Amino acid sequence: CLFVGVLSLLPLAEDFLLRCASLSLGMPLSLGRFLLDLLPNSLQQALAVDTNCQFQSGGHGGIGVSVAKDNVRTLRFGDDPGYVEAEVACQGPAPGRLRFPWSETPRQMSCEDDSVRETLGCKAADVSDGEWPQAWQRLLEGCKAGPQKILFLGLGGGYYQSYLATHCTSSEQLTLEPNETVIRAARDYFGFTGNVVPRDATSGMKLLSGQGQKFDAIVSDMGQHPMSEEDLAQASTLLKPGGSLMMQWCYGSARKHELNMDKMMDFFVDVSGQAGKNESGCVFYGAQTALHQPMVPPSSTGSASESAA
C-alpha cells in the first residue's frame, strides 16, 4: 500500500522537480517539459511493477485490469477490495509498456482507449499450466469423454470457460453475464472468445428454460452474488437427469458455507464442498440432479414451471 501511495504522488513530485530545475537553470517551463518529453517514461511509469488500466463504465466502484511482467492478467472490482475476480495467463510474451510523453502521462490509463486495448490486448488465454478444482472433476471427466452442453453463470475473465474450451473441444458452452463492461474486459484483455447472453442468472435461466433448453452441467461463479433458492430451482429444471451443478463461493464463514450446502440439498443429490487452495477462502461445491427427474420442492415447482412455459 505504501508503494502504491508513493506512485500516486510521483506526478506531483515530478512537477515540483521540473519547476525547481527550470528556475535553477533559468529556462522556461515549456523548455523543461520539452526536454522531459524526450525521456521514454515518466518516473511513475518506470517504477510501476504492473501495467494497469481502468474502465470508465460498468459500476462496481471501478473495473480494473492489471497486466504483470509474466503476462498474467487480473481483474479487480473497486467495491470488492482485496479480492481478485479473475486471474488468467495470456499466450505469448508480455506486451511492451505504453509510452506517453511526460507532459501527457495520464493519471489512470483507460481500458477503453484504443491504443491501450491494442497494446495490452490478449488474443488467446493460456491455460496449459492452469488448474481445475478437484471438486469439479466430474464435469471435466464427463466433457473429455464426450460432447456436453455447459452453462456458465458469471464470466469474470472467462478462465473456466477458456479451460474447458481447451480441454473439451467438442463441448458447447454458453455464459450468462449481465455486465457489458465485464464482457468487454474478458474479450479484450483475457482472451475469452465464447458465447455470452447479456443477462443475469435469474432472468437468463428463465429465458433458457422457456426455450426448452437443457444442459449437462451448470457452473456458477458469480463473485459477490450467491445463487438464490429461485436460481437453484431454475438450475435443477435446466439440467438433464443426472446433470451436474458446480458452484464457487468465496465469501462468508464456515456457517455460511454450511447453509449453502443445505440449500443445494433441497434441489440436488450428492452435494459436496471442498475448500480451494492457497487459503483463498473459496469453497467449490458439486451436486447432481436425480437420475429420474429434477428435484424441485413443492413450494418452488409452480414458479419454475411457469418460467419454462
Side-chain angles (χ1 to χ4, degrees):
C1 291
L2 178 61
F3 182 70
V4 173
V6 170
L7 283 180
S8 66
L9 294 175
L10 279 177
L12 297 176
E14 289 176 333
D15 188 66
F16 176 75
L17 291 173
L18 168 64
R19 292 178 182 276
C20 289
S22 298
L23 289 173
S24 300
L25 298 175
M27 62 181 179
L29 284 175
S30 57
L31 178 58
R33 288 195 178 95
F34 171 77
L35 294 175
L36 280 173
D37 281 347
L38 298 178
L39 297 175
N41 292 102
S42 67
L43 286 175
Q44 186 180 24
Q45 289 176 288
L47 293 177
V49 177
D50 298 340
T51 302
N52 305 290
C53 68
Q54 185 158 325
F55 286 91
Q56 307 304 311
S57 60
H60 285 293
I63 296 176
V65 175
S66 295
V67 181
K69 292 182 179 180
D70 57 0
N71 212 9
V72 172
R73 286 100 191 290
T74 56
L75 181 70
R76 298 178 187 271
F77 293 164
D79 61 0
D80 195 6
Y83 181 72
V84 176
E85 305 294 332
E87 185 174 86
V88 180
C90 186
Q91 292 183 15
R97 286 186 180 276
L98 278 159
R99 300 185 182 279
F100 297 92
W102 178 88
S103 58
E104 299 176 14
T105 301
R107 294 289 180 89
Q108 176 66 63
M109 289 193 295
S110 171
C111 296
E112 287 126 330
D113 186 274
D114 289 340
S115 62
V116 174
R117 186 166 54 246
E118 182 178 348
T119 302
L120 303 183
C122 176
K123 291 185 171 56
D126 183 1
V127 295
S128 56
D129 295 326
E131 295 184 349
W132 185 256
Q134 185 63 36
W136 296 357
Q137 285 300 311
R138 178 189 297 153
L139 167 58
L140 185 60
E141 293 168 0
C143 70
K144 284 183 176 180
Q148 292 204 348
K149 190 175 179 181
I150 304 166
L151 175 66
F152 287 90
L153 310 179
L155 176 58
Y159 172 81
Y160 294 127
Q161 290 88 337
S162 297
Y163 190 96
L164 286 187
T166 300
H167 292 85
C168 303
T169 54
S170 61
S171 291
E172 178 184 346
Q173 296 184 25
L174 180 66
T175 298
L176 298 177
E177 171 55 58
N179 194 311
E180 296 280 3
T181 302
V182 171
I183 298 172
R184 194 183 324 152
R187 292 197 187 284
D188 290 347
Y189 295 99
F190 293 84
F192 170 73
T193 58
N195 297 320
V196 180
V197 174
R199 283 179 176 256
D200 61 74
T202 304
S203 65
M205 285 194 289
K206 286 181 179 179
L207 174 68
L208 297 173
S209 182
Q211 295 172 349
Q213 296 207 42
K214 290 290 183 179
F215 296 86
D216 296 286
I218 295 177
V219 179
S220 174
D221 180 20
M222 298 190 289
Q224 305 169 59
H225 305 287
M227 292 187 75
S228 65
E229 291 191 13
E230 182 181 2
D231 292 336
L232 291 169
Q234 286 292 336
S236 69
T237 63
L238 278 173
L239 285 167
K240 299 175 183 178
S244 299
L245 171 68
M246 310 293 165
M247 183 176 77
Q248 175 179 333
W249 181 245
C250 302
Y251 301 86
S253 62
R255 178 56 182 158
K256 179 65 176 179
H257 292 301
E258 291 175 5
L259 292 174
N260 285 339
M261 293 187 68
D262 289 343
K263 284 197 303 182
M264 293 176 74
M265 288 177 184
D266 288 338
F267 302 90
F268 299 91
V269 298
D270 195 17
V271 177
S272 63
Q274 183 174 335
K277 294 183 177 180
N278 303 323
E279 301 180 354
S280 62
C282 298
V283 173
F284 296 90
Y285 301 91
Q288 280 187 294
T289 54
L291 291 173
H292 51 88
Q293 62 182 8
M295 296 178 62
V296 182
S299 60
S300 302
T301 304
S303 61
S305 60
E306 289 169 5
S307 300

